[in-house]
Amino acid sequence: MDMKMKIDPWGTLDIEDYSKLFDEFGISPIEDVYSDIPSPHKFMRRNIVFGHRNYNLIVDAMNKGEPFSVISGFMPSGMVHLGGKMVMDEIIWHQQMGADAFVGIADREAYAVRGLSWDKCRELGINEYILSLIALGFEPDGHIYFQSKCDNVKNMAFELGSKTNYSELSAIYGFGGETNVSHMISTLTQSADILQPQLKEFDGPKPTVVPVGADQDPHIRLTRGLAHKMNMLRIETREDNNGNQYFSIRNKSAPEYVLKQIKKHAPGKSKVFEGHVDIFGTDDFEAILDIVRQVELEAGGYSFVPPVATYHRFMSGLQGGKMSSSDPDSYIALTEDPKEGAKKVKRSKTGGCVSLEEQKKLGGNPKNCSVYELLMFHLIDDDKQLTEIYDECVSGTRMCGSCKKYTAELMSEFLKDHQEKRELAKERLDEYGLGEYRKYVH
């Protein structure tokens, strides 16, 4: 793939070499922070989560017991499948690790991009996404909402619109003259989703992680830029003529009095100039940041922390190639009949050889096997067991037929259990503040 192409969040993205994303878009490998992550999720252990942007902020918060949030969303345009489950699993793990968890149902996006009615968006949002999210373990202390019904998000999207323009959105998303205005507004709504956990009513600025596939990176890049633009103040590190480091707090849009407030609370020696205040004699950036953040909040600003992101690899389709919502044979939905799900596993593409004799002699290729992916991504939590399956495959002692049968049984069991939990979730909507949507449940 030519990584000079625009990444399209609404298209299908097939990445053969994920390492290109590190150089092309500035994504960092997860290995940079992995050793400091407490009890890493299996996606991290297995390098399914392969990259990040500033995830060290989240890791620090976990280790220090400090506040942090997780936010992601789902466009309710069809059946939720195992690809969507990946994001749900990551949200729930972060919630278990102490995050204040947010999930937005992107009905504004579905209305603008897919042309679905509001009622259809809510029906799909509840029946496909929210019930599965609850069934997988999302706790009621989190926040689930529809974009179209969330005043915070709608108001923030309007404010963010004053900090960007058509040219910037076109450069990020490839919008052209035919792009409808609602589609453009939906991108700002997504940015508002991502920044909502940092509003005062949710205890203000804090590191916030967005678990996504690489195709959603344009939303992350846009929102990180908007977070910087929305902040009233900027901290710069500078050197004087003698090479001594000092901090310069630059005023972007705050009332002038805030500079005097910063000087009043700043450690070390400080001096106010027109448009900035310089602080000398300290290297304590965190102390300066806390002061600047508090002063900005008192002045009515946001002092956003630019959002953090983790990026996961895509599952391939059951028949190889891309997993596509337009091709039912390429995926297994969470609402799929368990027997049909098992049949799909048995019909799926493997990395085995043409003949049994050749398989025993040469072994299989689990790295090119959709059945092994199902085990690795969703059906086996024990790393040792997964390694044993991998070794048996490449050594030629594990045959594709028996492996498919085993995986099909696990898939059937998972779907049956999950769907039983979905039925229980229907009775729990009030716990999540979603009782008004009960009429859409079927």
Side-chain angles (χ1 to χ4, degrees), residues 120-133:
K120 188 63 176 178
C121 289
R122 285 158 197 163
E123 179 189 344
L124 288 171
I126 284 287
N127 289 288
E128 291 294 327
Y129 295 89
I130 292 175
L131 292 182
S132 279
L133 182 70

Side-chain angles (χ1 to χ4, degrees), residues 225-238:
L226 288 172
H228 283 294
K229 292 177 183 178
M230 290 292 287
N231 290 345
M232 293 177 171
L233 301 162
R234 181 177 70 250
I235 304 175
E236 296 180 356
T237 302
R238 299 191 170 192

Side-chain angles (χ1 to χ4, degrees), residues 18 256 347:
Y18 282 87
E256 282 300 316
R347 295 196 301 263

Side-chain angles (χ1 to χ4, degrees), residues 112 179-186:
T179 305
N180 69 65
V181 174
S182 292
H183 191 165
M184 295 183 225
I185 292 173
S186 76

Side-chain angles (χ1 to χ4, degrees), residues 198-409:
Q198 299 191 57
L199 298 181
K200 286 183 180 179
E201 66 189 81
F202 301 114
D203 299 323
K206 65 183 73 67
T208 302
V209 60
V210 192
V212 292
D215 60 333
Q216 301 300 302
D217 186 54
H219 296 318
I220 305 301
R221 285 184 278 126
L222 173 66
T223 310
R224 286 175 62 84
L226 288 172
H228 283 294
K229 292 177 183 178
M230 290 292 287
N231 290 345
M232 293 177 171
L233 301 162
R234 181 177 70 250
I235 304 175
E236 296 180 356
T237 302
R238 299 191 170 192
E239 286 188 357
D240 62 20
N241 294 333
N242 297 318
N244 298 313
Q245 178 180 289
Y246 68 95
F247 296 105
S248 184
I249 317 314
R250 319 300 288 191
N251 187 356
K252 295 162 56 183
S253 58
E256 282 300 316
Y257 74 83
V258 302
L259 297 180
K260 293 181 180 178
Q261 287 294 103
I262 292 172
K263 174 180 170 57
K264 177 180 177 182
H265 297 288
K269 179 182 177 183
S270 58
K271 185 174 182 180
V272 176
F273 299 89
E274 183 176 354
H276 64 100
V277 56
D278 294 345
I279 302 172
F280 308 90
T282 180
D283 59 0
D284 193 343
F285 176 80
E286 292 300 323
I288 301 298
L289 178 61
D290 287 345
I291 292 167
V292 170
R293 184 166 288 159
Q294 188 58 41
V295 169
E296 176 167 337
L297 290 173
E298 290 173 356
Y302 294 107
S303 197
F304 288 128
V305 180
V308 170
T310 57
Y311 300 90
H312 58 251
R313 301 174 186 273
F314 300 113
M315 291 187 69
S316 57
L318 296 178
Q319 303 302 319
K322 303 173 185 176
M323 182 181 289
S324 171
S325 57
S326 62
D327 179 8
D329 288 333
S330 73
Y331 67 83
I332 295 174
L334 298 184
T335 52
E336 194 109 38
D337 180 273
K339 292 181 180 179
E340 182 58 32
K343 288 179 182 178
K344 284 188 176 183
V345 173
K346 291 178 180 179
R347 295 196 301 263
S348 60
K349 175 183 174 293
T350 70
C353 297
V354 176
S355 68
L356 189 64
E357 182 179 352
E358 189 177 351
Q359 176 90 359
K360 290 180 179 179
K361 181 179 179 181
L362 301 176
N365 181 11
K367 292 182 179 179
N368 190 32
C369 177
S370 59
V371 175
Y372 180 75
E373 274 197 358
L374 292 172
L375 298 172
M376 179 174 67
F377 280 67
H378 297 290
L379 299 178
I380 292 182
D381 291 328
D382 189 302
D383 291 342
K384 182 179 179 182
Q385 182 185 1
L386 189 68
T387 300
E388 289 173 354
I389 291 172
Y390 182 94
D391 291 342
E392 289 172 2
C393 177
V394 298
S395 67
T397 59
R398 188 179 187 88
M399 299 298 107
C400 293
S402 60
C403 193
K404 278 188 174 182
K405 181 181 178 182
Y406 173 68
T407 305
E409 290 171 354

